[in-house]
């Protein structure tokens, strides 16, 4: 009798452990399935990656929203090297003659974002035209002493990885040094980072005395998500002996610590991080980048799995089960803007003005969750 009870208890314990593991780590097959489904939805909608994007006006498809998508596509390709994904990215670059939306003379970070994928594709096949314009654009910036271009925090994700990639590609630290100077100008000189809260104001319009309706500072979810992605991507590119790596790591850790307790019970983060009632609700783009950042930290031994895995699991489960439609459309993505009220309403069925950047963020998150999975 006692032996039977012991066996039963052992089975229950083993079952509980297996259930716990299942809750903590989704199967790789499940993660990749969601990534492929959502990506297929966009590729089906845009069979020609070079065609102009039409919303309230017509824009070329090498704009920042599509460039962010290609960051996610390359992350998907890194874990599932499907030739169709690679060709889709190459066709996009070729359609624009590997050019930037505003040309090489522009210092605009949004314009330079496409360069992240151009450089990735150059690293796969060293065709000089792939990096011709993005390198020329950054080189022109380096010929001046101006470092205050990044006066909105989205710019950090759009451009910082370009500078880091060029530093590694060329072996010339002038790119990573200028990146650091510009980053610190945004963070300290322009004062967009609040060390006390471990979060960033989107731009000067939201620094104090600006307040949310509940009296708290305005920390926009996706804006802070852009910074998380910037720091993660830069640290993933640069060697750890880079003289400024510790600065990026320190700020990243501060942000992760700040984001952990303000995650919603359902796994998402609100559009307004410190005012859940100001256009509160599920929002997928910021959530994706926070999951991306946390999963990357656990994968690289920087964050405690015990501490962060519950948030990662809850966040990914929310995205995979509540945002992803059966046809691959991604719900709960806030439209373009700069604060919680923009791009509203955000619902399961609402369509943002651009569907591509939200998918890019989701694919980045999936690529790191996949590495954690069994």
């Amino acid at each position: 009798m006692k032996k039977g009870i012991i066996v039963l208890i052992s089975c229950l314990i083993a079952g509980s452990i297996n259930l716990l593991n299942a809750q903590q780590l989704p199967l790789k097959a499940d993660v990749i399935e969601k990534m492929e489904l959502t990506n297929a939805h966009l590729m089906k909608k845009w069979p020609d990656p070079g065609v102009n994007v039409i919303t309230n006006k017509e824009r070329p498809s090498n704009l920042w929203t599509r460039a962010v998508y290609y960051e996610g596509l390359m992350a998907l390709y890194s874990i599932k090297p499907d030739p169709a994904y690679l060709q889709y990215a190459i066709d996009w670059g070729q359609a624009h003659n590997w050019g930037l939306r505003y040309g090489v003379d522009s210092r605009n970070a949004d314009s330079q974002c496409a360069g992240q994928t151009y450089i990735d594709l150059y690293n796969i096949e060293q065709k000089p035209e792939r990096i011709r314009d993005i390198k020329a654009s950054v080189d022109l910036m380096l010929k001046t002493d101006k470092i205050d271009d990044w006066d909105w925090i989205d710019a950090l994700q759009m451009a910082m990885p370009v500078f880091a990639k060029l530093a590694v590609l060329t072996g010339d630290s002038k790119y990573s040094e200028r990146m650091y100077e510009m980053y610190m100008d945004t963070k300290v000189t322009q004062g967009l980072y609040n060390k006390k809260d471990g979060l960033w104001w989107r731009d000067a319009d939201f620094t104090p005395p600006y307040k949310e309706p509940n009296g708290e500072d305005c920390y926009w979810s996706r804006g802070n998500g852009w910074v998380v992605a910037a720091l993660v991507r830069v640290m993933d590119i640069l060697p750890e002996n880079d003289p400024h790596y510790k600065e990026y790591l320190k700020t990243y850790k501060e942000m992760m610590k700040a984001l952990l307790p303000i995650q919603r019970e359902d796994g998402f983060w609100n559009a307004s991080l410190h005012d859940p009632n100001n256009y509160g609700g599920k929002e997928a783009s910021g959530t994706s980048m926070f999951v991306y950042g946390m999963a990357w930290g656990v994968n690289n031994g920087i964050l405690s799995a015990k501490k962060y895995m519950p948030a990662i699991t809850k966040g990914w489960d929310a995205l995979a089960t509540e945002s992803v439609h059966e046809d691959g459309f991604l719900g709960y993505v806030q439209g373009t803007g700069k604060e919680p009220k923009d791009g509203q309403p955000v619902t399961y069925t609402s369509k943002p003005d651009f569907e591509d950047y939200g998918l890019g963020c989701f694919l980045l998150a999936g690529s790191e969750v996949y590495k954690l999975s069994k």
Side-chain angles (χ1 to χ4, degrees), residues 84-342:
Y85 299 156
L86 179 62
Q87 192 59 51
Y88 194 64
I90 292 171
D91 289 346
W92 177 63
Q94 288 178 335
H96 297 289
N97 194 27
W98 306 99
L100 310 177
R101 182 183 179 189
Y102 300 127
V104 298
D105 294 332
S106 174
R107 304 170 64 93
N108 187 285
D110 287 348
S111 179
Q112 294 172 338
C113 188
Q116 295 192 46
T117 297
Y118 293 171
I119 296 170
D120 286 346
L121 293 172
Y122 174 85
N123 287 332
I124 292 172
E125 188 174 7
Q126 287 73 45
K127 293 187 174 183
E129 65 270 19
R130 295 183 177 182
I131 60 168
R132 177 196 60 227
D133 283 17
I134 186 56
K135 185 174 182 299
S137 179
V138 175
D139 285 346
L140 284 172
M141 292 180 71
L142 267 58
K143 288 183 178 180
T144 74
D145 295 327
K146 180 174 166 56
I147 59 171
D148 60 354
D149 298 270
W150 299 339
D151 56 8
W152 77 109
I153 59 175
D154 313 29
L156 301 183
Q157 195 288 141
M158 305 301 157
M160 282 182 69
V162 169
F163 283 69
K165 288 173 186 286
L166 286 173
V168 172
L169 177 63
T170 64
D172 194 333
S173 63
K174 68 181 181 183
Y175 296 104
S176 51
E177 285 299 314
R178 176 56 63 89
M179 175 185 70
Y180 171 75
E181 291 172 355
M182 295 180 71
Y183 161 81
M184 290 302 288
D185 180 85
T186 304
K187 180 183 179 182
V188 179
T189 306
Q190 297 183 48
L192 296 185
Y193 180 62
N194 185 355
K195 179 176 171 56
K196 179 177 72 72
D197 288 340
L199 296 169
W200 298 66
W201 295 292
R202 197 271 181 176
D203 56 48
D205 289 344
F206 300 97
T207 56
Y210 186 95
K211 295 292 181 181
E212 289 285 76
N214 70 349
E216 291 284 337
D217 284 1
C218 180
Y219 301 120
W220 182 41
S221 178
R222 189 163 65 234
N224 279 271
W226 291 135
V227 182
V228 169
L231 294 173
V232 164
R233 291 174 72 73
V234 165
M235 289 189 291
D236 217 24
I237 296 162
L238 294 179
E240 290 187 24
N241 64 0
D242 177 272
H244 309 300
Y245 188 94
K246 289 181 179 179
E247 157 60 31
Y248 306 133
L249 181 61
K250 177 175 177 289
T251 305
Y252 161 80
K253 287 182 175 179
E254 289 170 357
M255 293 189 72
M256 294 297 100
K257 182 180 179 181
L259 288 164
L260 192 61
I262 57 176
Q263 185 181 26
R264 292 162 51 98
E265 281 301 314
D266 59 19
F268 288 91
W269 276 263
N270 288 299
S272 180
L273 293 176
H274 276 194
D275 189 346
N277 297 315
N278 187 28
Y279 295 94
K282 304 169 184 179
E283 202 289 302
S285 62
T287 297
S288 291
M289 286 185 282
F290 299 150
V291 170
Y292 171 52
M294 290 179 180
W296 180 87
V298 173
N299 277 324
N300 286 274
I302 294 169
L303 299 181
S304 161
K306 181 179 179 180
K307 185 175 182 179
Y308 284 91
M309 274 303 303
I312 295 167
T313 304
K314 194 161 63 170
W316 177 256
D317 183 63
L319 291 166
T321 62
E322 298 188 49
S323 286
V324 179
H325 289 224
E326 287 186 7
D327 66 353
F329 174 77
L330 202 62
Y332 296 114
V333 174
Q334 185 183 10
T336 56
K338 59 184 286 184
E339 59 180 305
K341 73 176 180 61
D342 294 334

Side-chain angles (χ1 to χ4, degrees), residues 15-42:
S16 298
I17 292 172
N18 288 334
L19 179 60
L20 180 62
N21 286 337
Q23 290 173 338
Q24 290 178 337
L25 296 170
L27 295 174
K28 285 186 183 294
D30 294 335
V31 176
I32 202 77
E33 179 186 7
K34 296 294 184 180
M35 295 176 72
E36 290 179 302
L37 176 65
T38 52
N39 184 67
H41 182 270
L42 185 135

